[in-house]
């Protein structure tokens, strides 16, 4: 079977979604732990799942927004390792953000904060574009043919 052909494997897709969701929250949590620790803030689940913490009027809000942007780079690298296909990067990024959106709604209600929507949009664009670039570099590598 050729590498480009697509096989419907729901178990693989669910495993990739779970892996990407784990990377998203684990890396965001570690970034927040480090960055908020520099400001003397204690980290809790509210910084991850409550959009009201993401305000340009507070230092903690700026730190949370910076953590989301840095997390886009980490998730892009994870996309290139977990998904390995450039054409699937947008799908998996949007799925991770959709799951995050529903968890935010469940935890703290609908995110009415405009900063949250902008940062999530920037996250989707950055993670997708960088993830596709890394996947394309990986896909275009020469295949070594042994002697």
């Amino acid at each position: 079977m050729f590498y480009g052909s697509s096989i419907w494997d729901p178990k693989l897709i669910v495993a990739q979604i779970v892996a990407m969701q784990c990377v998203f929250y684990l890396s965001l949590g570690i970034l927040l732990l480090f960055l908020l620790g520099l400001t003397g803030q204690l980290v809790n689940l509210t910084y991850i799942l409550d959009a009201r913490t993401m305000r340009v009027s507070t230092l903690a809000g700026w730190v949370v927004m910076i953590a989301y942007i840095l997390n886009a780079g980490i998730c892009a690298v994870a996309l290139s390792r977990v998904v390995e296909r450039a054409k699937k990067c947008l799908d998996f990024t949007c799925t991770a953000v959709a799951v995050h959106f529903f968890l935010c709604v469940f935890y703290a209600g609908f995110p009415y904060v405009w900063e949250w929507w902008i940062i999530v949009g920037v996250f989707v664009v950055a993670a997708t574009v960088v993830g596709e670039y890394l996947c394309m570099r990986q896909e275009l590598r020469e295949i070594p043919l042994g002697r």
Side-chain angles (χ1 to χ4, degrees):
M1 180 132 325
F2 293 106
Y3 182 70
S5 63
S6 181
I7 298 174
W8 173 249
D9 187 1
K11 290 179 185 177
L12 175 63
I13 294 170
V14 169
Q16 289 172 322
I17 290 171
V18 169
M20 286 306 302
Q21 210 67 43
C22 289
V23 168
F24 177 82
Y25 285 116
L26 184 64
S27 59
L28 183 60
I30 290 170
L31 285 168
L32 285 173
L33 184 66
F34 175 72
L35 294 174
L36 286 171
L38 293 176
T39 65
Q41 300 280 333
L42 293 177
V43 179
N44 59 32
L45 200 55
T46 302
Y47 286 109
I48 295 174
L49 294 176
D50 192 349
R52 293 171 293 192
T53 61
M54 208 178 285
R55 293 281 191 181
V56 295
S57 59
T58 65
L59 176 62
W62 279 101
V63 169
V64 172
M65 289 187 275
I66 290 168
Y68 269 84
I69 301 304
L70 292 174
N71 195 31
I74 295 169
C75 287
V77 172
L79 281 169
S80 71
R81 301 291 185 248
V82 173
V83 178
E84 297 179 331
R85 301 289 289 155
K87 69 180 185 175
K88 294 181 180 180
C89 287
L90 179 62
D91 299 339
F92 280 90
T93 302
C94 288
T95 301
V97 169
V99 170
H100 178 62
F101 170 76
F102 287 118
L103 288 174
C104 288
V105 168
F106 179 74
Y107 183 81
F110 189 83
Y112 290 106
V113 180
W114 62 269
E115 293 97 336
W116 188 87
W117 291 100
I118 290 173
I119 292 299
V120 166
V122 169
F123 174 88
V124 168
V125 170
T128 301
V129 169
V130 175
E132 285 179 355
Y133 171 76
L134 293 173
C135 286
M136 285 172 47
R137 282 187 55 202
Q138 190 173 347
E139 290 172 4
L140 293 176
R141 278 194 212 146
E142 289 186 24
I143 299 172
L145 300 174
R147 293 182 181 189

